[in-house]
Amino acid sequence: MDGSHKNYCPRQIRGFSPAGAALNASYIKCQTSAGDPATPARSPAMTDTTRSRSSVTMTVNGTEQQLDIDNRVTLLDALREHLKLTGTKKGCDHGQCGACTVMVNGRRVNSCLSLAVMHQGDEVTTVEGLGSPEDLHPMQAAFIEHDGYQCGYCTPGQICSAKSVLEEIRAGIPSHVTRDLANVVMNDDELRERMSGNICRCGAYANILAAMKQVAEETA
Ligand code: FES
Ligand code: FES
């Protein structure tokens, strides 16, 4: 939003009237004197712009990256807007679709829910870091072989999640559908449950499952 409106008082806009219009008063600048009780004093911390930015260093796809960013920037926006790694997609931007899934220190995360400044020293892997067109990761190749996508928007997140899911099962990490916590097995229920955070509007779920099962067998 253009910050140029910040000095105009909404009370005066709400109080718009024909008489006021005659005086062209709808955009009268708000009084900001200390005597105006409706104008709270800003704390030094809020006005200290040096505190709103941080320097953070993380390794992204094997390359160390140093960023000087606003503390409010999400990991997703840091990847897409600052590092130009646009493979990771923004769907809902609040943790509901999984399109923004990346791996941080080997575990999948929704990068839209994580602030970049929280990742000092972390290892981040995006879909670009899994493989290249000339040397695809087995999960990328399996998605192509099984038509695990249509529009492809959710696909980077699906692939990152799918890769992580196989690793989670092999590590014995249980899910909500695990029957025997001491023996986590690879089956369709486990794969579907663990991929349930990755929404595909095109409905490629059956093909994604087939791709995952193929990779699970190939790498067993
Ligand atoms: Fe992050 Fe949807 S964009 S979960
Ligand atoms: Fe289109 Fe999943 S392939 S949303």
Side-chain angles (χ1 to χ4, degrees), residues 98-131:
C100 64
T101 305
V102 299
M103 278 79 70
V104 176
N105 298 333
R107 298 194 66 175
R108 55 184 171 147
V109 302
N110 286 339
S111 59
C112 70
L113 291 184
S114 190
L115 295 174
V117 293
M118 297 164 60
H119 294 288
Q120 172 63 34
D122 283 351
E123 300 254 353
V124 179
T125 305
T126 70
V127 71
E128 291 97 335
L130 289 184

mmCIF file of all heavy atoms in Angstrom, residues 98-131:
data_model
loop_
_atom_site.group_PDB
_atom_site.id
_atom_site.type_symbol
_atom_site.label_atom_id
_atom_site.label_comp_id
_atom_site.label_asym_id
_atom_site.label_seq_id
_atom_site.Cartn_x
_atom_site.Cartn_y
_atom_site.Cartn_z
ATOM 1 N N GLY A 98 0.407 -26.264 0.917
ATOM 2 C CA GLY A 98 1.639 -27.031 0.731
ATOM 3 C C GLY A 98 2.436 -26.668 -0.506
ATOM 4 O O GLY A 98 3.500 -27.238 -0.744
ATOM 5 N N ALA A 99 1.965 -25.709 -1.298
ATOM 6 C CA ALA A 99 2.682 -25.353 -2.524
ATOM 7 C C ALA A 99 4.081 -24.814 -2.233
ATOM 8 O O ALA A 99 4.967 -24.863 -3.083
ATOM 9 C CB ALA A 99 1.890 -24.310 -3.320
ATOM 10 N N CYS A 100 4.272 -24.304 -1.041
ATOM 11 C CA CYS A 100 5.543 -23.649 -0.681
ATOM 12 C C CYS A 100 6.505 -24.588 0.034
ATOM 13 O O CYS A 100 7.499 -24.133 0.592
ATOM 14 C CB CYS A 100 5.234 -22.477 0.242
ATOM 15 S SG CYS A 100 4.501 -23.041 1.808
ATOM 16 N N THR A 101 6.243 -25.891 0.010
ATOM 17 C CA THR A 101 7.064 -26.836 0.776
ATOM 18 C C THR A 101 8.510 -26.856 0.298
ATOM 19 O O THR A 101 8.792 -26.988 -0.897
ATOM 20 C CB THR A 101 6.484 -28.262 0.667
ATOM 21 O OG1 THR A 101 5.117 -28.243 1.078
ATOM 22 C CG2 THR A 101 7.269 -29.245 1.532
ATOM 23 N N VAL A 102 9.422 -26.712 1.242
ATOM 24 C CA VAL A 102 10.860 -26.885 0.986
ATOM 25 C C VAL A 102 11.420 -27.718 2.135
ATOM 26 O O VAL A 102 10.724 -27.990 3.115
ATOM 27 C CB VAL A 102 11.607 -25.527 0.909
ATOM 28 C CG1 VAL A 102 11.072 -24.666 -0.226
ATOM 29 C CG2 VAL A 102 11.523 -24.782 2.241
ATOM 30 N N MET A 103 12.665 -28.118 2.009
ATOM 31 C CA MET A 103 13.308 -28.851 3.098
ATOM 32 C C MET A 103 14.256 -27.922 3.853
ATOM 33 O O MET A 103 15.029 -27.192 3.228
ATOM 34 C CB MET A 103 14.114 -30.044 2.566
ATOM 35 C CG MET A 103 13.283 -31.278 2.291
ATOM 36 S SD MET A 103 12.384 -31.183 0.746
ATOM 37 C CE MET A 103 13.699 -31.303 -0.432
ATOM 38 N N VAL A 104 14.168 -27.946 5.156
ATOM 39 C CA VAL A 104 15.102 -27.194 6.004
ATOM 40 C C VAL A 104 15.788 -28.202 6.916
ATOM 41 O O VAL A 104 15.117 -28.923 7.676
ATOM 42 C CB VAL A 104 14.373 -26.131 6.850
ATOM 43 C CG1 VAL A 104 15.358 -25.446 7.793
ATOM 44 C CG2 VAL A 104 13.698 -25.099 5.953
ATOM 45 N N ASN A 105 17.089 -28.277 6.777
ATOM 46 C CA ASN A 105 17.879 -29.249 7.540
ATOM 47 C C ASN A 105 17.294 -30.658 7.394
ATOM 48 O O ASN A 105 17.217 -31.426 8.353
ATOM 49 C CB ASN A 105 17.961 -28.844 9.013
ATOM 50 C CG ASN A 105 18.659 -27.516 9.195
ATOM 51 O OD1 ASN A 105 19.487 -27.133 8.382
ATOM 52 N ND2 ASN A 105 18.319 -26.797 10.248
ATOM 53 N N GLY A 106 16.844 -30.957 6.182
ATOM 54 C CA GLY A 106 16.367 -32.300 5.872
ATOM 55 C C GLY A 106 14.915 -32.573 6.194
ATOM 56 O O GLY A 106 14.413 -33.664 5.916
ATOM 57 N N ARG A 107 14.209 -31.605 6.772
ATOM 58 C CA ARG A 107 12.800 -31.825 7.092
ATOM 59 C C ARG A 107 11.939 -30.832 6.325
ATOM 60 O O ARG A 107 12.297 -29.668 6.169
ATOM 61 C CB ARG A 107 12.559 -31.676 8.594
ATOM 62 C CG ARG A 107 13.344 -32.695 9.405
ATOM 63 C CD ARG A 107 12.866 -32.772 10.821
ATOM 64 N NE ARG A 107 11.514 -33.297 10.907
ATOM 65 C CZ ARG A 107 10.894 -33.553 12.057
ATOM 66 N NH1 ARG A 107 11.511 -33.303 13.188
ATOM 67 N NH2 ARG A 107 9.681 -34.029 12.064
ATOM 68 N N ARG A 108 10.783 -31.298 5.877
ATOM 69 C CA ARG A 108 9.939 -30.413 5.067
ATOM 70 C C ARG A 108 9.239 -29.378 5.942
ATOM 71 O O ARG A 108 8.823 -29.682 7.074
ATOM 72 C CB ARG A 108 8.912 -31.238 4.279
ATOM 73 C CG ARG A 108 8.055 -32.137 5.140
ATOM 74 C CD ARG A 108 7.136 -33.000 4.293
ATOM 75 N NE ARG A 108 6.470 -34.000 5.114
ATOM 76 C CZ ARG A 108 5.250 -34.456 4.897
ATOM 77 N NH1 ARG A 108 4.550 -33.994 3.886
ATOM 78 N NH2 ARG A 108 4.734 -35.374 5.682
ATOM 79 N N VAL A 109 9.098 -28.198 5.415
ATOM 80 C CA VAL A 109 8.393 -27.124 6.114
ATOM 81 C C VAL A 109 7.576 -26.342 5.091
ATOM 82 O O VAL A 109 7.903 -26.310 3.903
ATOM 83 C CB VAL A 109 9.347 -26.140 6.834
ATOM 84 C CG1 VAL A 109 10.232 -26.843 7.837
ATOM 85 C CG2 VAL A 109 10.192 -25.380 5.835
ATOM 86 N N ASN A 110 6.517 -25.720 5.581
ATOM 87 C CA ASN A 110 5.782 -24.759 4.763
ATOM 88 C C ASN A 110 6.535 -23.431 4.868
ATOM 89 O O ASN A 110 6.494 -22.766 5.901
ATOM 90 C CB ASN A 110 4.345 -24.586 5.267
ATOM 91 C CG ASN A 110 3.478 -25.778 4.931
ATOM 92 O OD1 ASN A 110 3.793 -26.545 4.033
ATOM 93 N ND2 ASN A 110 2.378 -25.923 5.636
ATOM 94 N N SER A 111 7.194 -23.052 3.812
ATOM 95 C CA SER A 111 8.057 -21.870 3.902
ATOM 96 C C SER A 111 7.278 -20.575 4.063
ATOM 97 O O SER A 111 7.835 -19.563 4.472
ATOM 98 C CB SER A 111 8.978 -21.789 2.680
ATOM 99 O OG SER A 111 8.238 -21.721 1.479
ATOM 100 N N CYS A 112 5.972 -20.607 3.801
ATOM 101 C CA CYS A 112 5.168 -19.393 4.003
ATOM 102 C C CYS A 112 4.895 -19.154 5.485
ATOM 103 O O CYS A 112 4.477 -18.065 5.864
ATOM 104 C CB CYS A 112 3.857 -19.467 3.237
ATOM 105 S SG CYS A 112 2.670 -20.667 3.886
ATOM 106 N N LEU A 113 5.104 -20.165 6.311
ATOM 107 C CA LEU A 113 4.822 -20.029 7.740
ATOM 108 C C LEU A 113 6.079 -19.778 8.562
ATOM 109 O O LEU A 113 6.025 -19.798 9.784
ATOM 110 C CB LEU A 113 4.134 -21.301 8.266
ATOM 111 C CG LEU A 113 2.716 -21.579 7.792
ATOM 112 C CD1 LEU A 113 2.158 -22.808 8.489
ATOM 113 C CD2 LEU A 113 1.817 -20.380 8.034
ATOM 114 N N SER A 114 7.172 -19.593 7.899
ATOM 115 C CA SER A 114 8.441 -19.487 8.603
ATOM 116 C C SER A 114 9.158 -18.208 8.187
ATOM 117 O O SER A 114 9.277 -17.918 6.994
ATOM 118 C CB SER A 114 9.291 -20.716 8.236
ATOM 119 O OG SER A 114 10.424 -20.790 9.037
ATOM 120 N N LEU A 115 9.596 -17.434 9.164
ATOM 121 C CA LEU A 115 10.312 -16.207 8.831
ATOM 122 C C LEU A 115 11.751 -16.522 8.427
ATOM 123 O O LEU A 115 12.407 -17.379 9.033
ATOM 124 C CB LEU A 115 10.306 -15.259 10.027
ATOM 125 C CG LEU A 115 8.930 -14.728 10.450
ATOM 126 C CD1 LEU A 115 9.050 -13.916 11.721
ATOM 127 C CD2 LEU A 115 8.297 -13.917 9.337
ATOM 128 N N ALA A 116 12.226 -15.827 7.435
ATOM 129 C CA ALA A 116 13.581 -16.082 6.944
ATOM 130 C C ALA A 116 14.619 -15.875 8.051
ATOM 131 O O ALA A 116 15.608 -16.605 8.125
ATOM 132 C CB ALA A 116 13.878 -15.177 5.747
ATOM 133 N N VAL A 117 14.380 -14.884 8.910
ATOM 134 C CA VAL A 117 15.387 -14.589 9.946
ATOM 135 C C VAL A 117 15.512 -15.719 10.972
ATOM 136 O O VAL A 117 16.448 -15.722 11.772
ATOM 137 C CB VAL A 117 15.065 -13.261 10.673
ATOM 138 C CG1 VAL A 117 15.204 -12.085 9.738
ATOM 139 C CG2 VAL A 117 13.683 -13.309 11.307
ATOM 140 N N MET A 118 14.581 -16.671 10.938
ATOM 141 C CA MET A 118 14.671 -17.809 11.844
ATOM 142 C C MET A 118 15.634 -18.869 11.324
ATOM 143 O O MET A 118 15.851 -19.875 12.003
ATOM 144 C CB MET A 118 13.278 -18.441 12.030
ATOM 145 C CG MET A 118 12.267 -17.529 12.678
ATOM 146 S SD MET A 118 10.570 -18.138 12.461
ATOM 147 C CE MET A 118 10.645 -19.720 13.263
ATOM 148 N N HIS A 119 16.192 -18.660 10.146
ATOM 149 C CA HIS A 119 16.969 -19.728 9.517
ATOM 150 C C HIS A 119 18.456 -19.423 9.413
ATOM 151 O O HIS A 119 19.137 -19.890 8.489
ATOM 152 C CB HIS A 119 16.360 -20.058 8.150
ATOM 153 C CG HIS A 119 14.993 -20.640 8.282
ATOM 154 N ND1 HIS A 119 14.769 -21.918 8.750
ATOM 155 C CD2 HIS A 119 13.780 -20.081 8.111
ATOM 156 C CE1 HIS A 119 13.475 -22.129 8.816
ATOM 157 N NE2 HIS A 119 12.846 -21.038 8.447
ATOM 158 N N GLN A 120 18.949 -18.667 10.346
ATOM 159 C CA GLN A 120 20.383 -18.417 10.408
ATOM 160 C C GLN A 120 21.136 -19.753 10.496
ATOM 161 O O GLN A 120 20.875 -20.578 11.384
ATOM 162 C CB GLN A 120 20.705 -17.549 11.631
ATOM 163 C CG GLN A 120 22.173 -17.375 11.919
ATOM 164 C CD GLN A 120 22.910 -16.645 10.798
ATOM 165 O OE1 GLN A 120 22.347 -15.760 10.145
ATOM 166 N NE2 GLN A 120 24.153 -17.021 10.575
ATOM 167 N N GLY A 121 22.014 -19.990 9.543
ATOM 168 C CA GLY A 121 22.845 -21.195 9.569
ATOM 169 C C GLY A 121 22.169 -22.450 9.055
ATOM 170 O O GLY A 121 22.791 -23.510 9.042
ATOM 171 N N ASP A 122 20.926 -22.339 8.622
ATOM 172 C CA ASP A 122 20.203 -23.542 8.186
ATOM 173 C C ASP A 122 20.546 -23.930 6.745
ATOM 174 O O ASP A 122 21.004 -23.115 5.953
ATOM 175 C CB ASP A 122 18.684 -23.316 8.293
ATOM 176 C CG ASP A 122 18.192 -23.429 9.726
ATOM 177 O OD1 ASP A 122 18.988 -23.848 10.586
ATOM 178 O OD2 ASP A 122 17.025 -23.098 9.982
ATOM 179 N N GLU A 123 20.271 -25.210 6.464
ATOM 180 C CA GLU A 123 20.437 -25.730 5.101
ATOM 181 C C GLU A 123 19.047 -25.838 4.485
ATOM 182 O O GLU A 123 18.200 -26.595 4.968
ATOM 183 C CB GLU A 123 21.063 -27.127 5.132
ATOM 184 C CG GLU A 123 22.431 -27.181 5.788
ATOM 185 C CD GLU A 123 23.550 -27.341 4.767
ATOM 186 O OE1 GLU A 123 23.218 -27.536 3.592
ATOM 187 O OE2 GLU A 123 24.714 -27.249 5.158
ATOM 188 N N VAL A 124 18.824 -25.095 3.440
ATOM 189 C CA VAL A 124 17.514 -25.081 2.785
ATOM 190 C C VAL A 124 17.651 -25.719 1.407
ATOM 191 O O VAL A 124 18.587 -25.410 0.665
ATOM 192 C CB VAL A 124 16.988 -23.640 2.651
ATOM 193 C CG1 VAL A 124 15.635 -23.611 1.947
ATOM 194 C CG2 VAL A 124 16.895 -22.969 4.026
ATOM 195 N N THR A 125 16.724 -26.611 1.099
ATOM 196 C CA THR A 125 16.714 -27.225 -0.234
ATOM 197 C C THR A 125 15.366 -26.975 -0.879
ATOM 198 O O THR A 125 14.323 -27.275 -0.297
ATOM 199 C CB THR A 125 16.971 -28.741 -0.160
ATOM 200 O OG1 THR A 125 18.200 -28.973 0.532
ATOM 201 C CG2 THR A 125 17.064 -29.349 -1.550
ATOM 202 N N THR A 126 15.387 -26.414 -2.066
ATOM 203 C CA THR A 126 14.159 -26.189 -2.825
ATOM 204 C C THR A 126 14.111 -27.200 -3.975
ATOM 205 O O THR A 126 15.055 -27.967 -4.177
ATOM 206 C CB THR A 126 14.127 -24.763 -3.405
ATOM 207 O OG1 THR A 126 15.116 -24.676 -4.441
ATOM 208 C CG2 THR A 126 14.421 -23.729 -2.329
ATOM 209 N N VAL A 127 13.048 -27.135 -4.741
ATOM 210 C CA VAL A 127 12.926 -28.083 -5.847
ATOM 211 C C VAL A 127 14.076 -27.902 -6.844
ATOM 212 O O VAL A 127 14.511 -28.869 -7.478
ATOM 213 C CB VAL A 127 11.551 -27.929 -6.544
ATOM 214 C CG1 VAL A 127 11.463 -26.627 -7.345
ATOM 215 C CG2 VAL A 127 11.238 -29.141 -7.408
ATOM 216 N N GLU A 128 14.615 -26.684 -6.932
ATOM 217 C CA GLU A 128 15.743 -26.469 -7.847
ATOM 218 C C GLU A 128 16.990 -27.220 -7.389
ATOM 219 O O GLU A 128 17.867 -27.537 -8.193
ATOM 220 C CB GLU A 128 16.082 -24.979 -7.942
ATOM 221 C CG GLU A 128 15.039 -24.117 -8.659
ATOM 222 C CD GLU A 128 14.090 -23.436 -7.690
ATOM 223 O OE1 GLU A 128 13.916 -23.957 -6.567
ATOM 224 O OE2 GLU A 128 13.524 -22.392 -8.061
ATOM 225 N N GLY A 129 17.045 -27.479 -6.076
ATOM 226 C CA GLY A 129 18.219 -28.145 -5.523
ATOM 227 C C GLY A 129 18.129 -29.655 -5.573
ATOM 228 O O GLY A 129 19.115 -30.351 -5.278
ATOM 229 N N LEU A 130 16.966 -30.193 -5.931
ATOM 230 C CA LEU A 130 16.814 -31.650 -5.977
ATOM 231 C C LEU A 130 17.464 -32.229 -7.225
ATOM 232 O O LEU A 130 18.118 -33.270 -7.176
ATOM 233 C CB LEU A 130 15.330 -32.033 -5.951
ATOM 234 C CG LEU A 130 14.581 -31.824 -4.637
ATOM 235 C CD1 LEU A 130 13.159 -32.342 -4.764
ATOM 236 C CD2 LEU A 130 15.307 -32.523 -3.496
ATOM 237 N N GLY A 131 17.226 -31.597 -8.339
ATOM 238 C CA GLY A 131 17.770 -32.113 -9.584
ATOM 239 C C GLY A 131 17.698 -31.044 -10.653
ATOM 240 O O GLY A 131 17.178 -29.949 -10.416
#
